Amino acid sequence: MTNPYPADFRERALRMLTQARPDHLSDFAAASHVAGRLGVNPETLRLWKKRADIDAGREPGTTSEAQVEIKRLKKQIVELEKANEILRSASVFFATELGRTSSR
């Protein structure tokens, strides 16, 4: 699924959030204020901030780059499992064919 917001918009929103934070009592209040000005959901802005903090190493978690690699590897595992199943089926087929005696 693609993100409907361009990367530069998300970066601008995060800069605005960082600048607005000292003027508000909580992260939620700052996010609500900035989100209202930009026309996005405050939860969306909070998730962008969380993702940016993880990617920058300020918060623990799996980085975006690592998530992409994990997704790629999971897809590769599925493909390899399918290939192994095909090879198993083929080996059983050929083993039974070789085990048959010729009627000639």
Side-chain angles (χ1 to χ4, degrees), residues 12 18 27 31 35 43 52 59-61 73 78 80 85 91 94 96 99:
R12 180 174 161 247
T18 301
D27 289 340
E43 180 65 7
E59 293 278 334
L73 291 171
V78 168
L80 291 171
E85 184 57 37
S91 67
F94 287 116
T96 55

Side-chain angles (χ1 to χ4, degrees), residues 19-99:
Q19 293 169 352
R21 179 57 185 101
D23 299 335
H24 295 85
L25 295 176
S26 68
D27 289 340
F28 178 77
S32 295
H33 172 76
V34 172
R37 292 185 68 195
L38 295 174
V40 298
N41 188 308
E43 180 65 7
T44 299
L45 189 55
R46 185 191 72 80
L47 291 174
W48 290 347
K49 169 108 172 65
K50 182 178 175 108
R51 172 61 38 214
D53 288 345
I54 289 171
D55 288 347
R58 293 185 295 264
E59 293 278 334
T62 306
T63 64
S64 298
E65 186 177 301
Q67 286 179 337
V68 168
E69 180 68 4
I70 289 168
K71 185 176 180 178
R72 184 189 70 77
L73 291 171
K74 284 183 177 182
K75 185 176 178 180
Q76 186 177 8
I77 288 170
V78 168
E79 291 171 1
L80 291 171
E81 286 173 344
K82 285 179 185 176
N84 279 342
E85 184 57 37
I86 290 169
L87 291 172
R88 261 189 233 105
S89 297
S91 67
V92 167
F93 173 78
F94 287 116
T96 55
E97 286 296 312
L98 290 174

